[in-house]
Amino acid sequence: MTAERNILLDVRNLAVDYRTGSGILGGRRGHVRVLENISLRLRRGETLGVVGESGCGKSTLAMALARFVIASHGDILFDGRDVLRLDAAGLRAWRRDMQLVFQSPQASLNPRMTVHSIVSEPLVTHTRLDRGERRQRVEELLGETGLDPSFLSRYPHELSGGQAQRVVLARALALNPLLLVLDEPTSALDVSVQAQILNLLMRLQAQHNLTYMLISHSLGVVEHVSDRIAVLYLGEIVEEGPRDEVFRQPRHPYTQALMAATPVVDPSKRQVHRPLSGMIPGPASRPRGCRFHTRCPRAWSLCHDTRPRPQHVGDGHVAACHLLTP
Ligand code: SF4
């Protein structure tokens, strides 16, 4: 299979705007750009880690991919389909092939439904399996996520956070998706449970040849499972590349600052970069020039009014910073 044919998801120049104000009592009507010029490619079976602070647009990206928010510009191509121009039937098929997993497993589960009802719901809606076949499939799915049949009759409040996330994953796998977009799938869990869920995700990926977009504020989480890393700041990708290269040689000052702030087991491997200071601006007050210049320890006059263009800095490794301009 050629590299081109191996591309499952191809996001090109995606932009998302949110409307502000109602025009009556809600202040002036307008819009703010929350994602800008996002271009990403995912190959079948790989994991792309999307990392950045809270408020950088990570969750909006997940919602835009699922078409829960409307893109203002750009294209999303998935396995030959033009996602932004699908009709209702095409959109239903897309939402079977691409499953979203959210941060809070308990909040994702209907508290009035049993685990059996929750996991079998997509099978009822989208398949013709009879009751017995559905039950068998639900037991298989629970088994794959490490839960035995005794969980079938439990309600979400009877589950721990890790068990609830396993149920969410079982439901997400019910329709044999090709792509899972995982939005902070472990951040609501205890540290020991986080590792179990990440290991489960890797096992499921190998078993089902799944493709993942893993969205996280934690470099530690994305490092554990990703093949490639994209770093998002104020709605734009500032660096993207193979995991090992980005971790060994981060080129953008924002990536460097995130790494400096990440705990390491071996202090001799700590990156000697300045940690991040200040708060990420809101999308309504995005700075001109380089979006990062208000917090960048290496900013100079050019950064204040000129946007840096992405530069190739290695094999498949791109970063947008004036320091890298040849
Ligand atoms: Fe810092 Fe300037 Fe590079 Fe932006 S372009 S990251 S402000 S050095």
Side-chain angles (χ1 to χ4, degrees):
M1 193 180 282
T2 65
E4 278 298 312
R5 286 183 59 204
N6 205 19
I7 300 293
L8 181 67
L9 179 72
D10 189 357
V11 180
R12 299 179 183 170
N13 302 318
L14 188 73
V16 172
D17 297 315
Y18 283 159
R19 267 198 240 151
T20 57
S22 67
I24 303 170
L25 296 175
R28 268 183 54 201
R29 201 175 279 160
H31 69 265
V32 293
R33 181 142 287 189
V34 287
L35 285 182
E36 174 138 42
N37 210 19
I38 300 289
S39 293
L40 291 168
R41 288 177 138 197
L42 265 85
R43 295 178 188 84
R44 288 170 205 276
E46 81 170 355
T47 299
L48 175 72
V50 178
V51 71
E53 293 164 280
S54 166
C56 71
K58 305 185 300 291
S59 296
T60 301
L61 175 59
M63 300 296 270
L65 291 176
R67 275 190 45 183
F68 290 130
V69 300
I70 299 168
S72 320
H73 180 79
D75 294 292
I76 300 173
L77 306 175
F78 178 81
D79 208 18
R81 281 172 270 170
D82 184 346
V83 171
L84 297 183
R85 288 158 196 87
L86 292 172
D87 60 16
L91 189 56
R92 278 197 298 280
W94 160 236
R95 289 184 181 153
R96 284 199 301 271
D97 288 342
M98 178 276 215
Q99 293 283 322
L100 267 178
V101 172
F102 293 107
Q103 177 178 137
S104 171
Q106 297 285 6
S108 309
L109 302 174
N110 185 330
R112 289 189 287 273
M113 290 170 72
T114 63
V115 168
H116 176 265
S117 306
I118 289 166
V119 180
S120 64
E121 193 177 36
L123 300 172
V124 173
T125 310
H126 292 283
T127 74
R128 295 184 177 180
L129 297 180
D130 66 29
R131 185 185 290 258
E133 290 167 331
R134 284 201 303 271
R135 173 147 181 136
Q136 190 182 350
R137 177 78 179 124
V138 170
E139 287 188 17
E140 273 171 24
L141 289 161
L142 289 183
E144 285 184 18
T145 57
L147 297 174
D148 63 52
S150 71
F151 283 87
L152 286 168
S153 57
R154 295 199 198 176
Y155 286 87
H157 73 271
E158 298 174 294
L159 305 174
S160 68
Q163 289 164 350
Q165 196 60 299
R166 288 171 194 270
V167 172
V168 169
L169 289 171
R171 180 179 59 185
L173 294 176
L175 300 173
N176 299 313
L178 300 172
L179 170 68
L180 258 58
V181 176
L182 304 148
D183 188 0
E184 303 273 12
T186 60
S187 64
L189 306 175
D190 293 343
V191 174
S192 59
V193 182
Q194 286 184 13
Q196 291 170 17
I197 295 294
L198 291 176
N199 289 335
L200 171 64
L201 284 170
M202 288 194 289
R203 184 162 54 73
L204 292 171
Q205 181 173 41
Q207 272 172 6
H208 298 279
N209 194 29
L210 290 163
T211 304
Y212 289 160
M213 181 182 287
L214 176 75
I215 292 171
S216 178
H217 68 282
S218 164
L219 273 174
V221 168
V222 296
E223 182 182 17
H224 193 63
V225 297
S226 303
D227 300 295
R228 299 179 59 77
I229 308 277
V231 182
L232 208 57
Y233 186 77
L234 265 184
E236 296 178 19
I237 293 172
V238 297
E239 181 158 5
E240 195 212 333
R243 172 193 61 186
D244 292 345
E245 187 163 326
V246 171
F247 274 85
R248 192 173 56 245
Q249 207 177 7
R251 303 298 298 273
H252 194 281
Y254 179 59
T255 315
Q256 293 169 353
L258 287 179
M259 289 194 181
T262 302
V264 290
V265 177
D266 178 356
S268 69
K269 294 196 174 150
R270 180 176 293 284
Q271 305 262 346
V272 281
H273 299 295
R274 281 206 237 162
L276 211 47
S277 62
M279 299 291 289
I280 188 167
S285 48
R286 291 197 308 165
R288 280 165 50 82
C290 173
R291 308 295 187 204
F292 187 53
H293 83 253
T294 53
R295 303 170 75 195
C296 179
R298 304 178 69 187
W300 85 97
S301 55
L302 180 66
C303 309
H304 291 228
D305 50 28
T306 305
R307 297 268 299 281
R309 299 172 70 86
Q311 308 287 326
H312 286 276
V313 292
D315 191 11
H317 187 180
V318 175
C321 172
H322 291 308
L323 294 169
L324 305 168
T325 305

